[in-house]
Amino acid sequence: MMTAELFEALGRYQLATDTYKSVPRDHPSFTAAEMGRAEALRRSDRTDAAAEVLEQLSQSHPELAMVHVAAGDLYRQLEKFDQATAAYDRALEQYSSDAEEQWFVHYARAICHERLGQWEKAEYDFRRALELNPEQPQVLNYLGYSLVEKRINLDEYSK
């Protein structure tokens, strides 16, 4: 893992990818290695291959929210908002309680909903993100600007 991370830090993404891939499936670091491999592939502009790694990992380890979040983030970056939303949905299903770290998943899913023209769903997720992490500047900024653009609830934050 350290060698692969070093290769990745040096921008040697193919060597990093190959090294991550050498971790056996039954090794305790397999999931981390596959996440690293997906990131190295993404950074080398092999986004289809990165998506395939994350899809396979999400099928073999469906209980790991972080895998679904990584897939959602990749799809969101690629502007495949339907696929990103589905991945974020699967991630949120894996949380057993309202953990604060879920704020980012709601925020990212809200962006996807907004880009898909699904404002009601987007607003729900922005507000849910704020419930989990009040005063979060990224969420406040995106929600605030969206409300101004849509000319709705303009008096909400003027207090």
Side-chain angles (χ1 to χ4, degrees):
M1 290 294 292
M2 289 175 48
T3 303
E5 290 169 4
L6 180 60
F7 283 142
E8 193 171 355
L10 293 171
R12 304 294 306 268
Y13 302 121
Q14 186 59 53
L15 287 172
T17 299
D18 294 342
T19 305
Y20 283 127
K21 192 173 182 173
S22 71
V23 175
R25 285 189 173 278
D26 60 349
H27 193 278
S29 295
F30 175 74
T31 303
E34 287 296 274
M35 296 283 289
R37 183 163 73 107
E39 179 59 16
L41 288 165
R42 183 197 67 78
R43 292 179 72 190
S44 65
D45 293 324
R46 296 178 56 204
T47 55
D48 288 343
E52 179 62 29
V53 169
L54 292 172
E55 284 301 321
Q56 288 179 7
L57 194 58
S58 71
Q59 290 176 16
S60 65
H61 294 77
E63 75 285 357
L64 296 178
M66 69 179 177
V67 173
H68 302 295
V69 172
D73 291 347
L74 176 63
Y75 289 131
R76 182 169 45 92
Q77 176 193 5
L78 297 173
E79 298 183 2
K80 296 180 177 183
F81 300 116
D82 283 329
Q83 290 173 277
T85 300
Y88 292 134
D89 289 346
R90 289 189 299 272
L92 288 168
E93 290 170 3
Q94 299 312 310
Y95 290 103
S96 59
S97 65
D98 288 341
E100 182 182 325
E101 68 265 13
Q102 289 179 45
W103 79 265
F104 180 79
V105 183
H106 282 283
Y107 170 66
R109 187 172 72 172
I111 292 170
C112 295
H113 285 310
E114 187 269 334
R115 298 288 169 87
L116 290 168
Q118 302 168 342
W119 176 247
E120 288 180 13
K121 290 179 179 181
E123 184 176 14
Y124 167 82
D125 273 328
F126 283 131
R127 293 187 185 281
R128 186 71 184 110
L130 286 174
E131 286 175 21
L132 295 167
N133 192 354
E135 307 300 320
Q136 210 300 321
Q138 291 174 287
V139 180
L140 288 168
N141 188 51
Y142 206 118
L143 176 60
Y145 275 107
S146 295
L147 293 173
V148 168
E149 282 181 1
K150 294 181 179 309
R151 299 184 185 271
I152 55 176
N153 298 337
L154 294 177
D155 60 339
E156 183 174 348
Y157 294 102
S158 64
K159 300 170 187 161

